[in-house]
Amino acid sequence: PSRSRSDLIWMGWLCDVEVNRSLLVFPLLLATTATIVVFLLFDRSFETKRLWNWGGMTRGLPRVLGVWAYAMVALLGLAYVLTHYTDVLPEEGFLRLPLRNPGLMLAIAVFYPVFSAYPQEVTHRAFFFHRYRVFFPGRWTMIVANAIAFMWLHALFWNWIALGLTLGGGLLFAYTYDRSKSTLLAGVEHALYGIWVFFTGLGWFV
């Protein structure tokens, strides 16, 4: 349908670009991350060490790996049930990438931590906690608010399983960041869960 120029918001032209808009996701994420990193580095009230905090990383990693070991079994079971006992996922979706496209699975394992998981932790954890802590002074209030915001960012996938997965992940990653003060550790945790979700077949939803 025809639209007048006044009906478009100032970035409405993006909706009319004749390209696959999924190709814009990572460039926009990385550009946003770079902008936020510059902002945080020049903000004297931000403790720059939080962007890595190797000490917090090494102390918190055993706990992260321990929880992940249990979660691996639970997520694998969820993927199996959804593919074999429901119509939510096709049966061939279970372990689809490692069995049918191992090259893509390997590429995800290599590039997802660097180009998706850690940048998201910079934007959704380090920046969010620093910028909005004043509105959520309680520890768990902040963690829950952050997890809900993280979940809502995935509403574009338009399915309740994606929202459930990202809410649970958001709670874990926010707790890890709040406890360790390490964006790097939260990024590692995010990467572990993200890679495993794609491995099991649940990546279909996200």
Side-chain angles (χ1 to χ4, degrees), residues 54-101:
W54 188 252
M57 162 77 180
T58 55
R59 288 190 298 271
L61 187 58
R63 178 192 62 82
V64 166
L65 292 176
V67 174
W68 180 60
Y70 288 104
M72 288 173 68
V73 178
L75 291 171
L76 187 66
L78 176 62
Y80 184 86
V81 169
L82 292 179
T83 52
H84 290 80
Y85 297 101
T86 75
D87 296 327
V88 176
L89 272 176
E91 187 169 338
E92 65 272 15
F94 184 66
L95 302 180
R96 181 175 183 175
L97 285 181
L99 294 179
R100 302 192 178 194
N101 199 339

Side-chain angles (χ1 to χ4, degrees), residues 107-157:
I108 291 173
V110 172
F111 294 109
Y112 180 80
V114 178
F115 294 103
S116 184
Y118 181 73
Q120 286 186 62
E121 291 309 305
V122 171
T123 58
H124 304 346
R125 237 63 64 186
F127 176 75
F128 189 99
F129 270 71
H130 177 65
R131 181 67 179 83
Y132 300 111
R133 172 76 77 176
V134 64
F135 299 111
F136 306 101
R139 181 189 188 192
W140 282 103
T141 303
M142 184 68 194
I143 290 173
V144 171
N146 179 260
I148 292 173
F150 183 68
M151 175 194 71
W152 184 245
L153 288 170
H154 296 80
L156 58 90
F157 294 114

